[in-house]
Amino acid sequence: MKLEKLLAAWGALILERCSDGRFVARGALPAWCRELKRRAVSWDSPFDAEEAFPFLSAFLPEAEAEWESPEGKRLDSDLWTETDRNGEEFHLEASAVVVDGVRVLVIMRNDRLFLIGQKLLQRARDLRLTHGSLMKEIENKDILVHSIVHDLASPLHSILGVLSLLTEQPLGPPSTEWVRLGIEAATRQREMIADILDVYSSESGVITPRAEGGVELASVIDEVVAEREPVARRRNLHILSGPVVSARVVAEETRLFRVLTNLLDNAFRHSPLGAAVKIGAYSEDASVVVSVEDEGPGVAKEVMPRLFEKFARGKERTPGTGLGLFYCRITVENWGGGIGYEPRDEGGARFWIRLRAAAPSSRRGAEIERKVGDVEAPAR
Amino acid sequence: MRRKAKVCLIGATAVGKSSLVARYVSSIFSERYKTTIGVKIETHAVSRGEQTLELVLWDMSGEDEFQNVQPSYLRGASGYLLVIDGTRRETCDVAVTLEARVRETLGTVPFVAVVNKSDLTAAWDIRPGDLEELGKRGWSVVLASAKTGAGVEAAFDRLADAILGRKS
């Protein structure tokens, strides 16, 4: 048995490098080489390897470097594909070796390896493309939903305006009650729409320079408490505010207002009649923690793992969109903060958000930073 | 007179590089996406008067997290087609990155930016403003469809002319 014939049968084309940089084929040509039909190449006499296989123009410089090196290790190329005049594809790979001082290129047809590699890469890329198109579809649907929700809010403002005008009219007892109920329902719907629009804007949001500049936490808490007091009173609840550390935190005022409102409203929804809802803030390391505590039943264990996810609600359905706590989470996370829940020892729920203290950029900032240390974390 | 010119096709994954070559060389198109591994090499001759330019087309694997355009594959290229998928805006960003990388490797060589899938303009993600931006960069931009064949020959012709130093 001749070794050269065996190699040809194996599919190996053996090319020996001549001193002038051209190559000659050694041994029998493998079948694929004859099928590929390279018109410009006469395999029996020295030829330019790049004429026969253009891909070698990328591989030969590396092969030459390896042939020159004292170690003379084997160097393998990546797979490449050539096509014959009938469109048949030949998947090839080259190896450069030195044998007894002779520089040799071995070119093999390796359809099997190509097909395995292609199958894997095809699968990965198909998944990547599917993921990309799904994300785009979700984004388009989000935009559509946002537009619809936004449009739904416009007539609601008119309804609320008209109902408010009616309250100024002398109406009989049943009509006054109906108008009050109408205003309550419309207000609830307006808040639900605000929740949805808030989530939409926060989901696509990144931290803005305005948030980095920071806001005075105490004044935002004061405003939120003042604004939610009437709501608490209507539910026969009262808000206990303080102590609240004086600090600037990384946040945007409007969104922080919404976050704290959501936390208070969540506490109201789960509080028994006559209960107190506490809100306070204290410093902890380089952060400020705002906590909202209620005297309700606390969060059911099965809900806890997905408490801050979209539409996370317990078996006992309470009014709301199921987006409030999700909005709080993504918003404070956008600011580099966090959110959490823990049951209170004495019963009830304690929700907290951790906000980064804004970097003091002036003497005023330094004063604020000093004040941050004034209120320590309460013992728990 | 016969001359050879190496032409690379580069771009993000699934922008239609292989489909453009198949349309140009063999006048065929397949809806089935078949990913390219490494590089696929084909040739196609273009006549310009007495001159024949034999384009050696290097259809390269798409640029993504799985495979990168190998700088060594660009070596010796006389020009390249930078392919963008009109239905995926992110492929335009990939093209901008690749153009800078090629310029770093090869210096200034002729290229044509081909915005493929012009048959799907209803689903286009690329806005006219994006195309204007590419134009402002001094890019030669051709809208094409490997599916219908529209613009394909024009894109390769424009590149061939640029390689030959002709004005198209």
Side-chain angles (χ1 to χ4, degrees), chain A residues 39 50-51 53-62 78-84 89 113-114 116-119 121-122 124-126 128-129 132 136, chain B residues 2 4 6 13-14 32-43 56 58 61-67 70 72-75 87-90 125:
Chain A
R39 272 181 305 176
E50 294 171 22
E51 280 288 325
F53 302 102
F55 175 80
L56 293 178
S57 64
F59 181 62
L60 276 178
E62 290 167 37
D78 294 330
L79 282 164
W80 82 92
T81 303
E82 305 243 359
T83 315
D84 71 4
E89 293 185 345
L113 181 64
F114 176 87
I116 292 169
Q118 192 191 42
K119 199 174 172 184
L121 194 60
Q122 179 90 34
R125 284 179 165 165
D126 279 344
R128 183 79 188 77
L129 290 169
K136 198 173 283 177
Chain B
R2 200 172 178 92
K4 266 190 181 182
K6 173 177 172 179
T13 308
R32 190 170 162 253
Y33 167 55
K34 216 169 98 180
T35 195
T36 303
I37 290 196
V39 60
K40 186 176 170 188
I41 298 168
E42 300 211 45
T43 55
V56 182
W58 287 50
S61 181
E63 170 84 4
D64 59 14
E65 64 264 56
F66 308 111
Q67 290 210 319
Q70 301 279 338
S72 63
Y73 290 4
L74 299 168
R75 201 179 291 142
T87 66
R88 289 187 295 143
R89 195 159 181 263
E90 65 276 16
D125 203 12

